[in-house]
């Protein structure tokens, strides 16, 4: 089958979806075409629950942040009753973007164009002089669904968001809650614009095939045997795998003693809110993502009484992954900007009472993931360049890329559902 790949040609999207060979990478237009980019926003980002921020980022009443998802702009704000709310950042007068800063603090939400003024609860409070019969109550901000799962904020632009997220929230909460995200503060937040389609960013994150060669800092603590089954473990990774098994056995003991869940739940496709969560051991001292594996912050999170707790790692389709450690939490969110551009936002959270320079050193805290993100940025930019060549042909996934395959299956099923409701 010949597929139209030119950027100005209309793609037959349904045919394109069907052209993917199971077990192989996606055909080129999925990474390069403007039509697919728009389809992704509509079919995936506007229909799913997407991770956008953490509660500590809007800790006080009136704190807000804005973010762009394709053509959408969303305000996430803590209202006067301390509830987290989300609104479309579109004025109900003549449509102006209302808040233009990435974050800040407001009493009311005031449109800069003609000063229509909304409460943080979305109600239109003032609209200057209006014609008789003008009913302010009809012109409140349009709501966006938002919910906090143990301090992680997810929004859904859908009128009816996927209902299965209730089940996901219930199952991940016991893993997240011990790290007490609501009791943390943002130590650092770094944005990276990666020169790649958002799916290449997510696919790259779903395998560690490239870790050994690509991430010297990460593999100080992240076992390079990740993703391999015992049968397929390459000989040179056997020592790392042996260390992993020993560390896992000890971690399970520590978790059982404290009633902390650690079992793997892996449902990366076959449902709308697809996810994976597991507490896994870290190499070295086994405490944190640092060069020697020791904790980066002296203040452990919540009521945790031991530093050597590995990482609770979670992945949530379509756009986020997380690592919760004994001493800090690091969150990652990916948002599409263009067919070949994606924003990757990384946030490091430490105990709210931890003092920089006393309890933690910022460079030590951020070093591993800053380097890793940069390395990943280079890798996915190269992948983007490669899939843009007419010579690109989707190749087969290796067994240790099964999460990538599941991500693509999930993505295609969301798109298929959208195209044939
Ligand atoms: S467009 Fe916002 S007040 Fe006029
Ligand atoms: Fe990577």
């Amino acid at each position: 089958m010949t597929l139209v790949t030119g950027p100005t040609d209309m793609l037959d999207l349904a045919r394109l979806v069907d052209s993917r060979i199971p077990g192989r990478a996606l055909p080129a237009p999925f990474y390069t075409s403007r039509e697919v980019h728009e389809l992704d926003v509509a079919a995936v980002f506007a229909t799913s629950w997407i991770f956008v921020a953490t509660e500590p980022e809007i800790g006080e009443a009136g704190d807000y942040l804005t973010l762009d998802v394709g053509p959408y702009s969303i305000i996430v704000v803590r209202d006067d009753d301390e509830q987290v709310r989300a609104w479309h950042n579109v004025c109900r007068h003549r449509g102006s973007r209302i808040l233009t800063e990435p974050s800040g603090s407001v009493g009311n939400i005031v449109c800069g164009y003609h000063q229509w003024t909304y409460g943080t609860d979305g109600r239109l409070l003032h609209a200057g002089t209006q014609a008789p019969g003008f009913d302010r109550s009809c012109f409140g901000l349009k709501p966006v669904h938002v919910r906090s799962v143990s301090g992680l904020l997810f929004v859904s632009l859908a009128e009816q968001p996927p209902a299965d997220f209730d089940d996901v929230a219930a199952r991940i909460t016991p893993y997240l809650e011990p790290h007490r995200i609501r009791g943390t503060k943002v130590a650092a937040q770094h944005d990276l614009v990666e020169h790649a389609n958002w799916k290449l960013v997510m696919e790259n994150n779903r395998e560690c095939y490239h870790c050994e060669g690509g991430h010297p800092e990460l593999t100080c603590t992240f076992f390079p045997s990740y993703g391999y089954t015992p049968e397929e473990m390459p000989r040179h990774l056997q020592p790392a795998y042996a260390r992993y098994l020993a560390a896992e056995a000890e971690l399970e003991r520590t978790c059982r003693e404290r009633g902390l869940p650690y079992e793997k739940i892996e449902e990366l496709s076959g449902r709308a809110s697809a996810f994976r969560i597991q507490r896994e051991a870290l190499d070295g001292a086994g405490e944190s993502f640092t060069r020697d594996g020791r904790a980066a912050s002296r203040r452990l999170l919540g009521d945790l009484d031991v530093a050597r707790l590995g990482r609770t790692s979670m992945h949530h389709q379509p756009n986020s992954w997380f690592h919760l450690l004994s001493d800090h939490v690091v969150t990652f969110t990916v948002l599409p900007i263009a067919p070949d551009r994606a924003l990757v936002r990384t946030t490091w959270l430490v105990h709210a009472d931890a003092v920089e320079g006393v309890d933690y050193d910022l460079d030590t805290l951020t070093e591993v993931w800053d380097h890793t993100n940069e390395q990943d940025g280079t890798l996915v930019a190269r992948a983007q360049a490669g899939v843009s060549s007419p010579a690109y042909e989707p190749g087969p996934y290796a067994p240790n890329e099964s999460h990538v395959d599941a991500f693509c299956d999930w993505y295609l099923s969301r798109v298929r559902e959208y195209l044939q409701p």
Side-chain angles (χ1 to χ4, degrees), residues 3 11-31 36-37 39-40 42-45 47-48 197-199 202-203 268-272 274 317-318 392 394-395 397 403-421:
L3 284 164
L11 288 170
D12 179 342
L13 293 168
R15 200 159 61 97
L16 177 63
V17 169
D18 288 341
S19 75
R20 191 251 180 157
I21 300 168
R24 293 205 172 206
L26 299 175
F30 281 110
Y31 305 116
V36 172
H37 170 70
L39 175 72
D40 285 1
V44 178
F45 280 84
T47 66
S48 308
N197 184 271
W198 70 274
K199 295 188 289 298
M202 296 305 292
E203 290 175 37
L268 286 170
S269 62
R271 57 181 302 160
Q317 322 274 44
Y392 167 66
Y397 291 127
H403 292 176
V404 188
D405 197 21
F407 170 77
C408 292
D409 285 348
W410 175 86
Y411 161 76
L412 290 172
S413 67
R414 297 297 290 162
V415 170
R416 220 173 253 130
E417 214 172 286
Y418 179 82
L419 293 173
Q420 306 149 359

Side-chain angles (χ1 to χ4, degrees), residues 204 210 215 376:
N204 175 70
H210 70 274
H215 296 313
D376 280 327

Side-chain angles (χ1 to χ4, degrees), residues 204-205 207-208 210-211 214-215 218 369 372-373 375-376 379:
N204 175 70
N205 175 260
E207 48 91 2
C208 220
H210 70 274
C211 287
H215 296 313
L218 183 63
W369 281 106
T372 302
N373 286 344
Q375 291 148 2
D376 280 327
L379 294 172

Side-chain angles (χ1 to χ4, degrees), residues 150-183:
S150 293
L152 302 177
L153 297 174
F154 293 81
V155 303
S156 181
L157 291 156
E159 257 169 54
Q160 287 197 316
D164 72 335
F165 195 63
D166 287 343
D167 165 59
V168 175
R171 290 162 74 197
I172 63 179
T173 295
Y175 288 80
L176 306 180
E177 205 51 31
H179 297 266
R180 217 64 63 71
I181 291 168
R182 292 189 182 95

Side-chain angles (χ1 to χ4, degrees), residues 38-58:
E38 285 166 9
L39 175 72
D40 285 1
V41 172
V44 178
F45 280 84
T47 66
S48 308
W49 283 100
I50 57 173
F51 170 70
V52 290
T54 58
E55 281 206 46
E57 290 170 62
I58 47 167

